[in-house]
Amino acid sequence: TANSKACAQKIAQMGVPQKKIKVIYNCLYSDRMIPSRPPQQVLTELDIKNKLIIGTISGDAPFKGIQVLLEAISQLPKDKIQLVIIGVKKDKWFPYCKQLNILSCTTLLWLEENIADYLQIFDIFCIPSLSESMPNTLLEAIHFGLPIVASNVGGIPEVLEGNGLLFPPGDSKQLAHHLNQLIASPSLRESLRQKSLALKHLFLPQTKAKALEDLYRNLVSKKKSLTCSIK
């Protein structure tokens, strides 16, 4: 099984026959998506007031595209926004934020125990990756009904095409353009929020369980048919 059509294509390129590949999306479990603190407490701890929050959950690896996101943020109105990045080392990115003059509007956090605490305060979610299959962060953002801006890589466009804003990987100017669109338009944010919520059913545990059950039943049925034909 592959977690996206893009992943399925990669597996096929390795020589696995297409008929032996089945796309079944990952799922999110509800207990992971329950905040442990109220939104205002998190905002107070981060010292964020009256700003639109652009958030991402990422990592320090180059393919995660953090540099691209920081460059895009440097092109936005810094008095209106706060960027919150979870999963990065402050020492690694602090000098570059200082160079871009975005320290005042950037919050860098290492791995947090309860991601839902932060997802609940985001106004916009960004995935700046240079490569991905089907990132769980996309599923998490959809669960919280966040407007999403993401790079057009891997399995992301098969979910977000028409449901979010896509930009070419590595293109900080186009990313900044889309973020500006969302900053300027509450109605666009609300439209994309509703589209995210409408996608939640694709990534429920029962959806994945049903897909796996159907797959196994189909395989068992084929084996029985083959056994009978041989007899």
Side-chain angles (χ1 to χ4, degrees), residues 58-70:
S58 189
D60 288 320
F63 78 90
K64 287 296 185 180
I66 293 301
Q67 181 173 334
V68 178
L69 176 56
L70 295 177

Side-chain angles (χ1 to χ4, degrees), residues 10-225:
K10 291 288 186 181
I11 295 173
Q13 289 170 6
M14 296 168 62
V16 178
Q18 287 278 3
K19 65 180 181 179
K20 291 188 178 241
I21 304 171
K22 176 72 173 179
V23 175
I24 298 178
Y25 289 145
N26 288 338
C27 64
L28 291 175
Y29 296 97
S30 58
D31 56 348
R32 177 174 167 78
M33 293 292 98
I34 300 174
S36 63
R37 294 173 289 171
Q40 191 54 51
Q41 183 179 340
V42 180
L43 290 169
T44 300
E45 290 176 5
L46 297 180
D47 194 24
I48 299 176
K49 298 177 182 178
N50 303 320
K51 283 192 172 184
L52 200 71
I53 301 176
I54 300 169
T56 192
I57 303 166
S58 189
D60 288 320
F63 78 90
K64 287 296 185 180
I66 293 301
Q67 181 173 334
V68 178
L69 176 56
L70 295 177
E71 290 170 357
I73 293 298
S74 71
Q75 302 171 49
L76 303 179
K78 301 175 186 60
D79 58 324
K80 295 182 179 180
I81 63 164
Q82 188 72 25
L83 172 66
V84 176
I85 305 178
I86 299 173
V88 295
K89 295 176 182 176
K90 188 179 294 186
D91 291 347
K92 177 178 177 65
W93 297 104
F94 187 91
Y96 196 53
C97 291
K98 186 175 182 180
Q99 179 184 329
L100 293 173
N101 194 30
I102 59 172
L103 281 177
S104 62
C105 66
T106 303
T107 301
L108 304 173
L109 302 172
W110 185 224
L111 300 177
E112 297 294 330
E113 184 174 343
N114 196 327
I115 294 300
D117 286 353
Y118 300 91
L119 286 163
Q120 68 176 336
I121 67 168
F122 292 168
D123 297 295
I124 299 168
F125 194 83
C126 182
I127 302 176
S129 302
L130 304 180
S131 66
E132 287 285 359
S133 177
M134 181 65 76
N136 281 339
T137 55
L138 173 62
L139 280 56
E140 291 163 347
I142 286 171
H143 179 89
F144 275 86
L146 296 175
I148 301 170
V149 183
S151 50
N152 192 1
V153 296
I156 294 175
E158 69 191 67
V159 173
L160 280 193
E161 194 71 60
N163 298 307
L165 300 179
L166 297 169
F167 68 96
D171 191 338
S172 62
K173 288 185 178 180
Q174 189 61 36
L175 172 54
H177 171 71
H178 284 325
L179 289 173
N180 257 324
Q181 284 181 295
L182 289 169
I183 292 168
S185 176
S187 62
L188 178 58
R189 295 199 302 272
E190 178 59 22
S191 173
L192 293 184
R193 188 183 80 83
Q194 293 297 332
K195 289 181 177 181
S196 281
L197 289 173
L199 295 171
K200 280 179 64 171
H201 71 96
L202 295 175
F203 309 108
L204 296 174
Q206 54 266 41
T207 303
K208 181 173 183 178
K210 180 64 166 59
L212 285 170
E213 181 182 0
D214 290 345
L215 172 61
Y216 291 133
R217 286 184 181 279
N218 185 49
L219 291 173
V220 170
S221 175
K222 285 183 177 180
K223 185 175 181 179
K224 286 181 177 178
S225 298

